[in-house]
Amino acid sequence: MNFIIDPGAIEQESMAIIEKNVPLLASLPKKEQSIVKRIIHTTGDFNIAPLVKIHPQAIDRGLDAIRRGCNIYTDVNMVLAGLNSKRLAAYGIQALCHIADPAVAEQARRTGQTRAMVAMRRAGSLQGDIVVIGNAPTALFTLCDMIKQGEADPALVIGTPVGFVGASESKEMLVNLGKVPYITLQGTRGGSTIAASIVNALLYM
C-alpha cells in the first residue's frame, strides 16, 4: 500500500479533502474558512462546520492582539500543550495556565469552587489578552461573569468547553454577552484540541 509520508503534503491533501466535502466553506470569508478548516482537520468531522460561531470582529481582534505580543491564558494545560511554541515565540507571546498552581488548588479546596474558576480569576484583568477555554465550562462561566462585572476585558475569547453539564450553556452565555469578540462551537462538542487548533489557525495567519 502506498501512502503519503511528507507532513506538508499530508496537510495539503487533508485541506483539499475538507474543501471538497464541506460546501459551507465556500460561503465564508477566507480567514473564517481557515479557522473552520483547522477545526475540521483536528476533529476529522465534516459535520462540525455549521456549529462554529465566529464574532465579526473576532479574527481581526485576535490577530491584532497576537501582533502586539499579548498573553494567552488557557483553562487547562492540555490546551497549552497544543499551541505552536515556535509561532508563540516569534511574536513574543507568553502562554499561561494557572490550573496546576498550588495556591489555586488550596483556594479551590477552601472555597468549594473548581480549580478552573479560581485559576481564571487569578489571571487578572486580561486586558487585551486572548483567553482560550477548551475544557472547563466553569472557567467560561466565571470569565463571562468577570466581563459582565467589568473585571476583565480580553481582546478575544476562544470558548470551546466540552461536555454535558454546562458546556452548551456557558458557550451560549459567551455569545449572548455582547461585550467581547468570540470564537466558539455550539452544543456539547468541543475540547482542548479544538481550542488549540483555533489559536494555531490565528498564528498561521
Side-chain angles (χ1 to χ4, degrees):
M1 178 181 178
N2 294 322
F3 55 91
I4 303 172
I5 61 173
D6 176 72
I10 291 171
E11 179 165 324
Q12 186 175 7
E13 179 66 13
S14 295
M15 293 305 176
I17 291 170
I18 290 168
E19 289 174 4
K20 180 180 178 181
N21 285 274
V22 185
L24 173 65
L25 287 169
S27 66
L28 300 177
K30 289 294 184 182
K31 290 178 181 178
E32 290 192 17
Q33 285 184 30
S34 296
I35 299 285
V36 177
K37 285 196 293 185
R38 190 62 56 179
I39 292 172
I40 295 169
H41 184 254
T42 297
T43 60
D45 183 0
F46 297 132
N47 297 318
I48 207 167
L51 302 179
V52 181
K53 299 299 175 186
I54 302 175
H55 185 280
Q57 298 175 11
I59 294 176
D60 287 341
R61 286 285 297 276
L63 292 176
D64 286 345
I66 287 169
R67 293 187 190 103
R68 287 188 284 99
C70 68
N71 290 329
I72 294 177
Y73 287 90
T74 72
D75 63 328
V76 292
N77 284 314
M78 190 177 293
V79 176
L80 207 62
L83 303 183
N84 187 309
S85 58
K86 289 184 179 179
R87 294 279 178 152
L88 294 175
Y91 288 101
I93 294 172
Q94 190 172 15
L96 304 161
C97 180
H98 297 307
I99 193 78
D101 293 358
V104 167
E106 171 58 29
Q107 185 175 343
R109 280 194 297 269
R110 190 173 66 252
T111 62
Q113 300 177 75
T114 68
R115 285 191 298 159
M117 295 171 70
V118 175
M120 187 53 57
R121 290 201 174 276
R122 283 192 171 246
S125 70
L126 301 163
Q127 179 73 41
D129 293 329
I130 296 175
V131 183
V132 189
I133 298 173
N135 183 75
T138 57
L140 188 51
F141 279 128
T142 299
L143 176 62
C144 288
D145 184 61
M146 291 168 65
I147 294 169
K148 281 194 294 185
Q149 299 301 323
E151 299 169 359
D153 185 25
L156 171 66
V157 176
I158 296 169
T160 64
V162 60
F164 301 103
V165 180
S168 180
E169 292 83 355
S170 67
K171 289 179 279 191
E172 287 179 15
M173 181 178 287
L174 173 64
V175 169
N176 294 328
L177 201 57
K179 292 188 176 183
V180 62
Y182 58 80
I183 301 174
T184 190
L185 192 67
Q186 288 182 309
T188 59
R189 287 194 257 183
S192 299
T193 54
I194 291 176
S197 77
I198 295 169
V199 178
N200 289 335
L202 292 171
L203 290 170
Y204 298 150
M205 291 181 198

